[in-house]
Amino acid sequence: MEIECEVEREVMNRRRFLSTTGATALVLGSGAQESFAAAAPKSAKTPKAMMKLGCQSAPTTDAHLKYLARYGVKHICGYPETSEGRIASTVDELSRMRDLAEKNGIEIVCVGPPILESSYIDREKHPAIMLAKSPERDRDIEQLQMLIRNCARAGLPSIKYNMSILGVLRSGRVQGRGDASYSQWKLAEAHPKTPLTIAGHVDAEAFWERITFFLDRMIPVANEYKIRMACHPQDPGVPPEGYQGVDRVLGTVDGLKKFVAIRESEYHGLNFCQGTVSEMLADPGTEIFDVIRYFGTRKKIFNVHFRNIRGHRNDFVEVYPDEGDVDMWKAIQVYREIGYPYMLMPDHVPVAESDPQGLQSFAYCYGYIRGLIQAVSQT
């Protein structure tokens, strides 16, 4: 009789465990499932998980918004239609985008302007800020200042941007699992098409001057209108001697630390690409967590590109989130630990011939991130 009671208690314990973790285990897979099962019970001091599943994929049309809503994405970075020749969307243009998203049950919490994108300078329509070319630079900055004001009037709290000349550097693609292909960067095998860009030689001193010039004029306006300005790191970092004549000063963790300190403000921070920051590290699987803590505890993370890599600085492949060198379950626990309240989103997903735009890969990543958020909310 005593043995039967013991068996019955064990069965009940297993049922209770499976009822709370079963759905999550299906999403996370065996590795994260073991980590979740081993996690300590939530203590009174454990912060509540506040992060949200998000996305920054374009365009912000009714059809794409319905696609996002289908997979439970309720917060996004949006791209407003902007009248020809303008950088700053009007309040009406921003409001129409916001209203269209709301009709689909989605909130726009970040805006992507048609300038300072992660694009190659030779193809950039508005290169003056990064080229330090006045008076065009001054006019473009005035337009971005107006965008800050208009976002505030439309109730849109954040703007993302890049300070890049080289865009996203990659050396090729490699075969992934199934029929997917992955983007790769091998510095030793990279050969630029031209020795220099139209920017010419841009050493660290010149690059910091351009960044500081921009921040000195933008952050005071962001402070006044309470709009978070989220800058993406340079992807990937390159050696100090530069690549195509450019020293990518925002391609190291120390560079990002210097960047956020130039203008101390609660509205000056990072569009923190976890994948790009992992690409800066010699051992991302062990180092990334303290980097998240550094910027997160200082409230400098305004958005997260929650993606994974396999490899390290100067030699890596962008992979699905569950197969890289970074333990994403541990990473999301760190975001909860620091009280991160904004979006976690996919970025640079693998593609396949049958999925050239990566919509299936994005959907996979939405489910993966959503499962992690639900799991960390229960621990």
Side-chain angles (χ1 to χ4, degrees), residues 176-226:
R177 65 192 187 196
D179 61 349
S181 72
Y182 300 161
S183 183
Q184 181 182 49
W185 172 247
K186 272 184 175 288
L187 177 62
E189 298 178 3
H191 303 288
K193 293 181 179 179
T194 58
L196 300 173
T197 70
I198 61 172
H201 288 282
V202 184
D203 62 15
E205 182 179 0
F207 216 133
W208 282 119
E209 185 279 331
R210 296 175 195 191
I211 289 171
T212 303
F213 185 95
F214 177 80
L215 295 178
D216 283 348
R217 287 152 182 79
M218 294 299 297
I219 302 306
V221 183
N223 288 340
E224 181 181 357
Y225 288 89
K226 297 179 171 54

Side-chain angles (χ1 to χ4, degrees), residues 233-276:
Q234 290 163 345
D235 180 7
V238 297
E241 60 269 22
Y243 187 85
Q244 278 191 285
V246 177
D247 186 346
R248 308 194 93 179
V249 296
L250 301 184
T252 68
V253 174
D254 285 343
L256 296 180
K257 289 178 179 179
K258 179 175 179 176
F259 174 80
V260 299
I262 288 174
R263 268 280 184 174
E264 184 49 50
S265 165
E266 62 183 303
Y267 299 103
H268 167 46
L270 299 174
N271 183 6
F272 187 85
C273 181
Q274 182 179 301
T276 299

Side-chain angles (χ1 to χ4, degrees), residues 55-59 61 63-64 67-68 70 173 179-181 320 346-366:
C55 191
Q56 64 167 17
S57 60
T61 59
H64 195 63
Y67 159 81
L68 295 168
R70 184 193 314 161
R173 302 193 70 83
D179 61 349
S181 72
Y320 285 105
D347 186 40
H348 296 190
V349 297
V351 297
E353 186 175 343
S354 60
D355 183 32
Q357 295 180 312
L359 294 179
Q360 295 173 23
S361 289
F362 269 108
Y364 176 86
C365 293
Y366 299 147

Side-chain angles (χ1 to χ4, degrees), residues 74-291:
K74 297 181 180 179
H75 302 83
I76 65 168
C77 177
Y79 303 89
E81 292 185 4
T82 305
S83 51
E84 187 66 31
R86 292 179 58 86
I87 291 170
S89 305
T90 65
V91 175
D92 285 344
E93 289 167 337
L94 293 166
S95 298
R96 283 199 298 270
M97 176 185 66
R98 180 202 62 208
D99 293 345
L100 181 62
E102 287 178 353
K103 288 179 182 178
N104 286 281
I106 293 174
E107 180 182 359
I108 292 179
V109 294
C110 183
V111 171
I115 187 174
L116 295 182
E117 300 175 293
S118 58
S119 54
Y120 185 60
I121 195 73
D122 289 8
R123 296 190 292 269
E124 178 59 55
K125 292 181 180 179
H126 305 279
I129 292 175
M130 297 315 304
L131 293 178
K133 182 181 179 182
S134 290
E136 294 89 344
R137 169 168 68 168
D138 306 297
R139 291 199 294 264
D140 288 351
I141 288 177
E142 287 174 1
Q143 282 281 297
L144 286 171
Q145 291 170 333
M146 179 58 70
L147 179 61
I148 289 175
R149 299 184 185 100
N150 290 347
C151 281
R153 291 165 183 145
L156 303 172
S158 180
I159 295 171
K160 74 181 183 88
Y161 67 102
N162 290 260
M163 303 219 75
S164 178
I165 292 175
L166 299 178
V168 177
L169 296 174
R170 295 295 184 265
S171 56
R173 302 193 70 83
V174 298
Q175 182 65 44
R177 65 192 187 196
D179 61 349
S181 72
Y182 300 161
S183 183
Q184 181 182 49
W185 172 247
K186 272 184 175 288
L187 177 62
E189 298 178 3
H191 303 288
K193 293 181 179 179
T194 58
L196 300 173
T197 70
I198 61 172
H201 288 282
V202 184
D203 62 15
E205 182 179 0
F207 216 133
W208 282 119
E209 185 279 331
R210 296 175 195 191
I211 289 171
T212 303
F213 185 95
F214 177 80
L215 295 178
D216 283 348
R217 287 152 182 79
M218 294 299 297
I219 302 306
V221 183
N223 288 340
E224 181 181 357
Y225 288 89
K226 297 179 171 54
I227 298 296
R228 295 187 301 277
M229 298 295 293
C231 183
H232 193 289
Q234 290 163 345
D235 180 7
V238 297
E241 60 269 22
Y243 187 85
Q244 278 191 285
V246 177
D247 186 346
R248 308 194 93 179
V249 296
L250 301 184
T252 68
V253 174
D254 285 343
L256 296 180
K257 289 178 179 179
K258 179 175 179 176
F259 174 80
V260 299
I262 288 174
R263 268 280 184 174
E264 184 49 50
S265 165
E266 62 183 303
Y267 299 103
H268 167 46
L270 299 174
N271 183 6
F272 187 85
C273 181
Q274 182 179 301
T276 299
V277 176
S278 295
E279 297 161 13
M280 301 175 184
L281 306 173
D283 185 6
T286 61
E287 297 177 61
I288 188 64
F289 311 109
D290 283 340
V291 180

